[in-house]
Amino acid sequence: MPDLPKVSIIVPVYNADQYIANSIEQVLSQTYTNWELILVDDCSTDRSVEIINEYLQDERIKLYIQEKNGRAAKARNRGIDLSSGKYIAYLDADDVWMKDKLEKQVNFMEDKKIAFSYTEYEFGDEQANGTGKIVRIKDVLTYNKALPRTIIFTSTVMLNVEILGKDIIKMPDVPSEDTASWWKILRGGYNAYGLRDVLTIYRRPQVSLSSNKKVALWRIWNLYRNVEHLGIIRSSYNFVIWAFLATARRL
């Protein structure tokens, strides 16, 4: 039986002491075991590092501390630089994976020999209990199809480094860096393939940056105009569809 490919799991950490132990435990409980967990602390001022240190006896778990706060994109990019796996998977500290998430997604990517995959997910409450609201996805998502559909959720993504290389995976340091990153990969000629299985719960606290509608509107418009450099007509077209679909997902 061939060796299982290694998955590098990248977790940016910033003042996540109420979640980080659970994040580590859910990786430890995965049915897929050939992984490395790269935790990049972005100058936390709480007990995050102290909690992570309790798990470092497992040699698969690694902690790196940024010299200065640089936000999520820079933390993830450092994790990419330090990774050694064939695959990269992202996990945000407050999200939840199902126990077989890695196993199913690696098998999916190996079978299809693809570079980029993502899965369905369920909205959760503050305790990450599923609310029954599930985001359904497309089997194949191209660049043009992705522009008005921000359905690729960071904690569901898996990328094949051997196909993509690390440079294209690096996240730009802009607001909504994750969406900008997916579009960059898709614009490079790769497609995102959807695994139609709910393998992640997206925890939604009552007060969060993503719940600020004005901020969300500005971010997506900024991506269209100043990151993707789309014309005003194409930007407006995608923006209207995005606003409708984004609202529908959250109802």
Side-chain angles (χ1 to χ4, degrees):
M1 183 177 179
D3 293 336
L4 297 173
K6 180 189 285 188
V7 180
S8 298
I9 305 161
I10 298 174
V11 181
V13 180
Y14 180 71
N15 290 348
D17 60 2
Q18 60 181 318
Y19 304 123
I20 197 61
N22 181 66
S23 298
I24 297 171
E25 291 289 347
Q26 63 181 295
V27 173
L28 288 167
S29 68
Q30 287 290 304
T31 57
Y32 193 89
T33 57
N34 190 15
W35 49 260
E36 61 177 352
L37 176 59
I38 301 173
L39 299 133
V40 182
D41 183 77
D42 201 24
C43 301
S44 294
T45 57
D46 62 0
R47 295 183 60 251
S48 294
V49 170
E50 180 182 342
I51 294 168
I52 293 169
N53 281 330
E54 297 174 2
Y55 289 90
L56 296 184
Q57 68 273 14
D58 189 320
E59 63 182 13
R60 297 173 298 175
I61 301 175
K62 302 163 186 178
L63 169 64
Y64 300 92
I65 299 175
Q66 299 281 67
E67 292 183 0
K68 61 181 181 179
N69 181 272
R71 301 188 300 185
K74 289 183 179 179
R76 292 194 186 105
N77 288 345
R78 188 176 186 200
I80 291 169
D81 285 334
L82 297 165
S83 67
S84 62
K86 175 179 179 178
Y87 294 107
I88 281 177
Y90 296 111
L91 174 62
D92 284 349
D94 54 348
D95 295 327
V96 174
W97 279 353
M98 305 308 171
K99 292 179 183 293
D100 56 355
K101 193 263 188 189
L102 291 181
E103 180 180 6
K104 286 185 174 180
Q105 200 162 8
V106 169
N107 289 339
F108 178 73
M109 296 190 72
E110 288 284 295
D111 289 345
K112 291 186 173 293
K113 295 179 172 52
I114 55 178
F116 183 174
S117 75
Y118 68 115
T119 79
E120 295 177 335
Y121 62 94
E122 182 177 4
F123 286 108
D125 61 18
E126 290 189 21
Q127 287 72 47
N129 299 311
T131 63
K133 181 63 177 177
I134 294 171
V135 175
R136 304 299 182 185
I137 61 175
K138 302 289 184 181
D139 289 330
V140 182
L141 201 59
T142 64
Y143 174 69
N144 286 329
K145 289 181 179 179
L147 285 174
R149 296 176 178 87
T150 52
I151 57 174
I152 301 177
F153 177 47
T154 306
S155 291
T156 76
V157 166
M158 187 175 285
L159 304 170
N160 186 324
V161 181
E162 292 183 1
I163 296 176
L164 294 169
K166 290 186 176 182
D167 287 344
I168 196 172
I169 294 172
K170 295 287 185 68
M171 290 191 171
D173 189 16
V174 297
S176 295
E177 73 285 343
D178 46 0
T179 297
S181 183
W182 318 146
W183 290 354
K184 181 176 67 165
I185 295 170
L186 296 173
R187 185 168 14 91
Y190 302 94
N191 294 333
Y193 291 84
L195 172 53
R196 290 192 165 184
D197 199 348
V198 180
L199 299 175
T200 300
I201 294 178
Y202 170 28
R203 189 194 307 260
R204 294 180 71 199
Q206 289 183 348
V207 178
S208 68
L209 183 60
S210 62
S211 68
N212 187 318
K213 303 302 185 295
K214 289 183 179 179
V215 170
L217 291 169
W218 176 83
R219 283 183 168 193
I220 197 72
W221 183 254
N222 180 65
L223 289 183
Y224 290 141
R225 297 291 286 142
N226 300 319
V227 178
E228 298 304 304
H229 303 293
L230 303 182
I232 189 70
I233 294 175
R234 193 177 179 194
S235 295
S236 299
Y237 171 81
N238 284 297
F239 184 78
V240 170
I241 298 174
W242 169 83
F244 173 79
L245 294 175
T247 301
R249 278 200 304 273
R250 286 162 171 78
L251 293 178

